[in-house]
Amino acid sequence: MGLTSQSLEYTVIVLALVCVAATVWLWPRLSRQGVRPVLGRLGAIVMTQVSIVCALALAVNASFEFYGSWDELLGNNDKAPASVSQGGEGQYASVGNAKSELVQAAGPQGLDRVTGLPQGPADKVGKVESVRIVGRRTRAINPAFVYLPPQYFQSQFRRQRFPVMVVISGYPGGIMNLAQHLQIPQNAGRLIADGKMQPTVIVMLRPTIAPPRDTECVDVPDGPQAETFFAKDLPDAMKSAYRVGHDPSAWGAFGYSSGGTCSLQLAMRNPQAYTSAVSLSGDYAIQDDLTTGSLFGSGAAGAQREREHDLLWRLENLPAPQVSALVASSRKGEPDYGETMKFIHAAKEPMKVDSIILPEGSHQFSTWLREIVPALEWQSQQLTFPQDVESIPVKSKPGSEGPKAPAAPASSNGTADRKRVAAERSPG
């Protein structure tokens, strides 16, 4: 049974209940004096406590996804990429390109616990794949879900590469939060079907590449290279396995909480990889804490690295990147509201900033659920599609021009008028 599987969680919960019941039933018999009754009482207490702790630990891990597999828990991670073969017909086992070493088919990773996922022919409803992303440079291995829209499987789009949203969860949450609580693939599927969002490949990941440490999308000196993973390894891996755009204009980062912080950092520091970012309740600077350890190192070099991850400092002291950003906060209830307004007003050409400012909200899923749909629509308008038409020979009758590529949605070039993304919107 997988570490995040429901069957394991339910089995351990039942075992814990059995241990409690057995302890209550046996306790009168163990109340006598003597070595054996004392050992029996100690054994009953230990078994009961261990079973309860294991049940709670599995439930917490399934929710926050500190570890996605037994190997990851035991530290038996792969040291190098491995070849991947097509994984059959199952919902969770197939990968877009069996030749890729960098996107590996994985087990459910909790995807079997998510409700509302596409059910039916992929060319009608789309598909969600459970994979592992392998970093060519960093050697990091990160679990991921990949949403493929119905158009990805339709013959008229077979020559097209699709735009990509890299959606990053908060810390310590994992990809399950993106699929189950925020319903990223479910919302995207409905928006695409309604014509409010262009067909887009969405890859869902957690922000850390070295759990349980919070790496905050930073290249740590002599440590995990999280920024390199997201800015270089991830795009390379996706391009090796899926028909996705090769130009940065087809790539956008999207996240909430720590994932929102990562999204802004990735776009502003790596505009050659991402040209748009969505940050829901993200921060604008990265600082060390108990979960991160030392991210920047010591001395003057470490202080400079920390300053360069302060986005307000970057806007004041460095040329603004040519990217678009959507930031979200609440006037009441969100601690980052003041910094969000400073960021909006500090932005300068050629950077563009839009915002979703709620009258009231807090740092939790109920707030982000209000922002998800308009944020998905907004980022879709920033991404170019179709892009990088593949050179696939097409046989045609004499005198025929052959099939034409499908037309792009009117807003796909990112220059059309944007829809209103909130009841109140601050000027960008």
Side-chain angles (χ1 to χ4, degrees):
M1 290 183 285
L3 182 62
T4 60
S5 67
Q6 282 185 313
S7 55
L8 176 63
E9 185 178 343
Y10 292 158
T11 298
V12 175
I13 289 174
V14 170
L15 179 62
L17 294 174
V18 169
C19 287
V20 171
T23 299
V24 172
W25 184 67
L26 291 172
W27 199 258
R29 302 185 181 186
L30 299 173
S31 62
R32 296 188 297 271
Q33 299 295 322
V35 175
R36 294 180 64 183
V38 170
L39 292 177
R41 291 196 295 271
L42 290 174
I45 292 172
V46 169
M47 288 296 296
T48 301
Q49 294 296 321
V50 168
S51 63
I52 292 174
V53 169
C54 287
L56 290 174
L58 284 172
V60 170
N61 185 68
S63 178
F64 293 104
E65 206 169 326
F66 293 103
Y67 301 98
S69 67
W70 290 108
D71 284 338
E72 193 171 299
L73 176 65
L74 299 174
N76 299 325
N77 292 326
D78 294 346
K79 300 301 181 183
S83 298
V84 183
S85 58
Q86 194 77 20
E89 300 297 326
Q91 169 118 15
Y92 315 115
S94 62
V95 177
N97 183 346
K99 296 180 181 179
S100 171
E101 295 179 335
L102 305 179
V103 178
Q104 302 180 352
Q109 300 185 127
L111 197 60
D112 52 346
R113 303 161 61 98
V114 179
T115 58
L117 293 177
Q119 299 290 332
D123 61 344
K124 301 294 183 183
V125 298
K127 185 179 183 182
V128 180
E129 296 182 336
S130 178
V131 301
R132 299 190 305 170
I133 306 294
V134 179
R136 188 192 303 274
R137 301 167 185 81
T138 61
R139 295 307 205 204
I141 300 177
N142 218 3
F145 297 149
V146 177
Y147 168 76
L148 302 171
Q151 291 80 2
Y152 189 89
F153 303 96
Q154 296 171 3
S155 60
Q156 66 267 35
F157 288 88
R158 70 188 183 279
R159 299 176 60 198
Q160 306 301 328
R161 290 193 172 111
F162 289 75
V164 183
M165 289 187 192
V166 176
V167 183
I168 308 171
S169 71
Y171 177 88
I175 52 179
M176 274 287 291
N177 288 343
L178 297 170
Q180 178 73 347
H181 297 305
L182 292 186
Q183 299 196 325
I184 294 294
Q186 299 91 321
N187 280 310
R190 285 190 290 269
L191 289 171
I192 292 171
D194 293 341
K196 297 179 179 179
M197 177 177 166
Q198 61 183 320
T200 304
V201 171
I202 300 176
V203 54
M204 293 159 270
L205 306 100
R206 62 191 182 191
T208 178
I209 65 168
R213 184 179 184 180
D214 181 10
T215 51
E216 288 279 352
C217 293
V218 171
D219 280 352
V220 181
D222 300 321
Q225 302 295 288
E227 184 174 15
T228 296
F229 176 86
F230 280 97
K232 296 180 180 179
D233 284 348
L234 175 61
D236 284 353
M238 291 296 293
K239 292 169 188 175
S240 74
Y242 298 99
R243 295 195 325 274
V244 295
H246 286 197
D247 190 85
S249 63
W251 285 74
F254 186 120
Y256 71 89
S257 191
S258 295
T261 304
C262 282
S263 297
L264 287 176
Q265 294 279 339
L266 288 170
M268 292 185 65
R269 290 174 54 84
N270 302 275
Q272 75 284 358
Y274 298 93
T275 54
S276 69
V278 172
S279 175
L280 310 181
S281 304
D283 294 324
Y284 302 93
I286 295 177
Q287 298 177 337
D288 293 345
D289 59 31
L290 292 176
T291 64
T292 65
S294 177
L295 293 173
F296 306 106
S298 59
Q304 179 61 24
R305 280 191 288 268
E306 184 170 0
R307 278 193 296 271
E308 291 175 356
H309 282 81
D310 184 328
L311 301 185
L312 292 172
W313 182 91
R314 294 184 71 88
L315 288 173
E316 182 178 348
N317 295 277
L318 300 176
Q322 189 169 349
V323 298
S324 299
L326 174 68
V327 293
S329 187
S330 305
R331 282 195 174 91
K332 182 179 179 182
E334 278 278 22
D336 71 336
Y337 172 70
E339 294 297 295
T340 298
M341 299 310 297
K342 290 180 183 178
F343 180 80
I344 292 170
H345 293 126
K348 53 191 176 184
E349 294 289 346
M351 185 176 179
K352 304 291 185 183
V353 178
D354 290 331
S355 64
I356 300 175
I357 305 297
L358 300 177
E360 186 172 353
S362 55
H363 202 81
Q364 59 179 328
F365 289 111
S366 61
T367 299
W368 301 322
L369 280 170
R370 298 170 61 188
E371 301 162 344
I372 283 294
V373 169
L376 287 171
E377 292 183 23
W378 179 91
Q379 187 156 72
S380 178
Q381 294 172 5
Q382 316 306 311
L383 306 178
T384 56
F385 175 75
Q387 187 181 89
D388 297 334
V389 178
E390 294 185 326
S391 299
I392 297 178
V394 179
K395 295 182 179 180
S396 58
K397 297 179 181 179
S400 170
E401 297 180 356
K404 296 181 180 180
S411 63
S412 64
N413 61 6
T415 61
D417 290 339
R418 295 171 182 165
K419 298 179 180 178
R420 187 175 184 84
V421 295
E424 292 188 62
R425 187 177 189 173
S426 297

